[in-house]
Amino acid sequence: MMLDPAVLSVTFPHSRILNYWSKASLFANPIVRYILFSSGNIPVDRKSKDRQVLFKGTFEALSKGHAVALFPEGTSYTEPKIMQVKDGAAWAALEYTKWRQENADLAPPQDVIIVPAAIVYTDKSKYRSDVVVEYGQPITMNGYKEQFLSDVEGAPRSAVKRLTRTIESELLEATINASDWNTLYAARMARDILWEGNKSINLDEFVVISQTLADLFSGPTTVPHFKSAKRNLLEYYSLLHTAHLSNPVLKSLPLPRSLDPTIPAPIPSRLYTLLLLIRDSITALICLPFFLFPLIVHLPVYFMGRLGARLVKDEEETQAQNKVVFGLLSLVLIYTAAFFFLWGLLCYTSIGALLAAATVYLFANYHNRMIDENYQRGKRILAAWRVLVGVWVPRRWDLSAAALTQYTTPILPKENPWVDRPKTPEKHSRNSSPTPSSPGSSSPTPSSKSESGNFVTGPPVKARSRRRPPSRRLVRHVLKARVEAVKSLAIFFDNLQRAPPLTQVKASVHLARSYGHLVEVKSPETDALEVEGWRDVHEVVQFLTQRGAKIPVLRSNADDGEWAALSSEGEGYTTADAERTWVPPAKGS
């Protein structure tokens, strides 16, 4: 993806220029060749079997003290975890070490060092979202070059594989990895509920918080209410995306938050939703005069960015890339036209050029300072309008339970054909969590398991594309799902806190090394020892709370048999545990 090199180049320490690998075929055109060389790109002929020839440009750059950047995964893909780390980076580093020893007069005395870098986007598809760039521990060649330079058959390749595993380990520690898409989506939804604000999470801890939640919802766990909490979070996540709404926006609306177990999930009244829309509209109209002109000027940028995203609906990486590319091209054209227009008004003088450039610069900064607040206000108005329409329409217009089922499970991104996938589909499926299937719906059936245990490819079944229904038919379902998601999350965390001492959940190895403990277990497939990480459930709850999570806390009321859920901010919630049987008090008692 084009965004990654740009982000890495901007954030690389000491403002050093990075030299990126590029396919040698791109250098055939003289104009493109000049652009690529002038921007520090290195031609790499992937068809060459001689690694000294393959890495010739890399050796030249490293021998001059330059930094070389490459993406070891080999391709851009949208997956819930790191799927592959190629050996290219390890081969290049160790081959340069060998070349340096053979050409001591051409190379500097310093050995090559690999610095793992991880780029994590808080939400790739969201406008004005954040990006986290983390650099791992530098990896030297001291532990690998002796084996790589030895004459033992297979030793160089073994050294490369060991170095690749080290690189992969560093990248896994700096990124968010979930076992499947359902786990990742449930963790995202829980994070949005526990940190109910776009800027409420410290970005320095965004990765470790997200990974903790992904581990928590990976299962299996003996903590009660785990499956129902995960299911309700997934339903809420899917309905939000189908209705083009978001939890932070709904949270900003003063909607009813009662989780009383004696009544169904509350829906705001029609008058109340109308007042919400009037309130937000008046607020927006008051602020609109200060933002109207920048909004009109930048409308082509927003339009082109949205158009670029619609060109690729199934690939989140390419969507984000198109938004940036289409938006930046429009922005360059608009600002260039504005500069020459202002310069023309000032008679094309030297001072006029300076004033025109300064005016465009200040105007751009003014827009950037105003856009965030007005963008959120606009999303609030749009959400209030959808809630208003959804509440005012007759109930018979709502989707039926049978029709709604297909929208309560998230759509999984398409598989990237260039990603090397494990050959054991029953263990490494894209979605190992059980999900309800909609009655009467069809889905692709790539394989089935025969009685002998072998996977047999079956005839492809063409799945119908899922059309998004009007949001007015989903609003009531979204509001109910929101209440159920918060309720189930409150009960799940209450069960975590009530769990017996030494109750543990599985965790990523690097997190368990810092906050839990490691256990060696024998692999059932290879009989080799593997390391597993575990964390205490009470430590996990404390870990999240200390980092700002507003975890709902259950309270038992022995007088009336209700379960009240109070957030740590004192908001009034009442809920019933789906795994406990609530018995209302008898009449007259």
Side-chain angles (χ1 to χ4, degrees), residues 21-89:
W21 282 1
S22 300
K23 290 191 297 184
S25 57
L26 297 176
F27 291 77
N29 187 291
I31 299 178
V32 177
R33 177 186 178 89
Y34 172 79
I35 295 175
L36 291 175
F37 272 126
S38 61
S39 57
N41 287 270
I42 299 173
V44 177
D45 185 6
R46 299 180 180 179
K47 297 180 181 179
S48 176
K49 297 182 179 180
D50 186 349
R51 294 190 180 90
Q52 295 291 324
V53 176
L54 177 66
F55 300 127
K56 180 181 178 182
T58 304
F59 296 165
E60 293 177 356
L62 292 174
S63 63
K64 297 177 182 178
H66 297 166
V68 177
L70 57 97
F71 296 91
E73 294 173 85
T75 185
S76 176
Y77 57 83
T78 300
E79 293 289 343
K81 60 183 175 181
I82 291 180
M83 297 295 295
Q84 62 183 18
V85 175
K86 300 286 189 178
D87 297 332

Side-chain angles (χ1 to χ4, degrees), residues 31 35 100 121 145 243 322 338 368 395 450 458 497 506 509 538 557 566 568 585 589:
I31 299 178
I35 295 175
R100 177 174 161 271
Y121 298 88
K145 61 183 179 182
N322 285 6
N368 291 339
R395 287 184 179 272
S450 64
Q497 294 171 327
K506 206 168 184 179
V509 172
H538 302 92
N557 189 333
L566 300 175
S568 53
S589 60

Side-chain angles (χ1 to χ4, degrees), residues 273-283:
T273 55
L274 180 60
L275 293 176
L276 285 180
L277 181 62
I278 294 175
R279 184 206 64 175
D280 288 339
S281 300
I282 292 176
T283 304

Side-chain angles (χ1 to χ4, degrees), residues 8 19 37 57 110 127 176 186 203-204 209 247 255 280 337 341 356 367 381 383 429 436 440 461 511 536 571:
L8 192 61
N19 299 267
F37 272 126
Q110 299 86 4
Y127 177 59
I176 304 168
L203 289 181
D204 292 335
I209 288 173
N247 185 69
L255 298 173
D280 288 339
F341 175 76
H367 167 265
I381 293 176
S429 62
V461 180
L511 293 182
D536 186 271
E571 296 174 330

Side-chain angles (χ1 to χ4, degrees), residues 529-546:
L529 290 179
E530 296 180 351
V531 177
E532 288 185 352
W534 295 86
R535 294 174 68 178
D536 186 271
V537 294
H538 302 92
E539 179 273 326
V540 171
V541 175
Q542 183 181 12
F543 174 89
L544 297 174
T545 304
Q546 290 176 346

